[in-house]
Amino acid sequence: MKVLVPVKRVVDYNVKVRVKSDQTGVDIANVKMSMNPFDEIAVEEATRLKEKGSVAEVIAVSCGAAQCQETLRTAMAIGADRGVLVQTDAELQPLAVAKMLKALVDKEAPQLVILGKQAIDDDANQTGQMLAALLDWPQATFASKVELGEGKVTVTREVDGGLETLTLKLPAIVTTDLRLNEPRYVTLPNIMKAKKKPLDTVTPQDLGVDPAPRLKTLKVSEPPARKAGIKVADVAALVDKLKNEAKVI
């Protein structure tokens, strides 16, 4: 079985992001970048399935600038066998990424695609669902447990009311949640091994996809600063402020 794992290069989750002065986006100049945490979980899960003998090959895929090669090397250090970079400097949005992934799925013919439920930069939570729609494959989102069987995958997913268990026929799409696993620490020997693993580069044009954005960002701004709290003398004063100032009762 072959598994495809898309990974995205984002601002590291430990970095406090700053909005550009012209409010056109987030300032990423000289900012530490890393793999999207949810995608890291997806790579770890695919690697564990390979270690169990359920999967023969794990292919990491990234779409974006040439620097995404670093993200792919990290995925290969975790356990992916090879990488594919769809290189473009265009602003990529979920639909364009889903179309490029579909073209790669048609080319590579994996039986399972595991990807993070969302990226921490745009929080779109759309790519996995769009890819499932384009491929007409079954999907299970927010996975907290994944088990492969004969021609099927059983996924326990987190929903508002608790846990839901789904059984999907392969091929299928699975998106990962935080509680699926804890990614391993990448060791130096594995980083060195990853440098020798194959990494192919293609363009959206090679895949027959137009990456031009369909949505336009009008403005990006900082959230309003939180106001300081106040002390009240008694319950009557609290009720008065909630009723007349906050107008919540």
Side-chain angles (χ1 to χ4, degrees):
M1 177 182 290
K2 190 184 293 187
V3 175
L4 193 75
V5 185
V7 295
K8 186 176 184 180
R9 181 175 181 264
V10 298
V11 175
D12 189 88
Y13 69 94
N14 288 311
V15 174
K16 179 175 173 55
V17 296
R18 292 188 297 269
V19 175
K20 292 180 181 178
S21 58
D22 59 2
Q23 295 187 316
T24 58
V26 172
D27 186 7
I28 59 172
N30 302 315
V31 171
K32 181 183 178 184
M33 307 291 284
S34 61
M35 188 189 305
N36 179 48
F38 291 104
D39 297 340
E40 196 173 1
I41 291 169
V43 177
E44 174 67 25
E45 190 64 22
T47 301
R48 292 187 185 188
L49 292 172
K50 187 180 75 169
E51 291 171 346
K52 289 178 183 178
S54 303
V55 170
E57 185 181 27
V58 176
I59 307 165
V61 178
S62 191
C63 305
Q67 292 89 336
C68 292
Q69 291 186 28
E70 300 170 12
T71 309
L72 288 170
R73 292 296 179 193
T74 301
M76 289 187 278
I78 294 174
D81 297 292
R82 58 187 174 95
V84 179
L85 171 63
V86 184
Q87 188 170 333
T88 175
D89 292 323
E91 176 195 347
L92 293 178
Q93 294 176 350
L95 181 58
V97 174
K99 288 179 178 179
M100 288 186 279
L101 292 177
K102 179 187 181 298
L104 287 172
V105 167
D106 292 340
K107 179 181 177 182
E108 296 286 350
Q111 286 74 50
L112 184 64
V113 178
I114 306 178
L115 64 161
K117 69 172 185 178
Q118 65 194 71
I120 61 172
D121 52 0
D122 58 15
D123 278 333
N125 185 12
Q126 294 176 335
T127 306
Q129 293 89 327
M130 287 179 170
L131 178 59
L134 291 171
L135 290 168
D136 196 23
W137 284 10
Q139 62 174 309
T141 56
F142 315 133
S144 59
K145 186 177 180 182
V146 176
E147 295 177 307
L148 277 177
E150 190 65 37
K152 64 181 181 180
V153 58
T154 301
V155 177
T156 302
R157 60 188 299 267
E158 299 188 352
V159 295
D160 291 340
L163 298 177
E164 179 182 60
T165 301
L166 301 175
T167 299
L168 313 177
K169 288 184 179 180
L170 295 177
I173 308 289
V174 175
T175 72
T176 62
D177 211 338
L178 279 175
R179 278 165 285 278
L180 178 59
N181 62 52
E182 185 175 343
R184 68 193 68 189
Y185 177 77
V186 179
T187 61
L188 182 59
N190 286 335
I191 292 173
M192 301 307 293
K193 290 177 184 176
K195 291 182 179 180
K196 298 180 181 179
K197 292 182 179 180
L199 195 160
D200 299 324
T201 301
V202 297
T203 66
Q205 289 71 30
D206 295 335
L207 301 175
V209 176
D210 177 14
R214 266 62 176 178
L215 304 175
K216 182 181 179 181
T217 301
L218 300 180
K219 183 175 73 170
V220 177
S221 58
E222 295 272 4
R226 187 173 180 178
K227 296 180 180 179
I230 59 172
K231 291 183 179 181
V232 293
D234 50 34
V235 173
L238 174 62
V239 172
D240 178 67
K241 287 186 177 294
L242 290 175
K243 184 176 181 180
N244 299 315
E245 292 185 19
K247 299 187 185 300
V248 295
I249 59 174

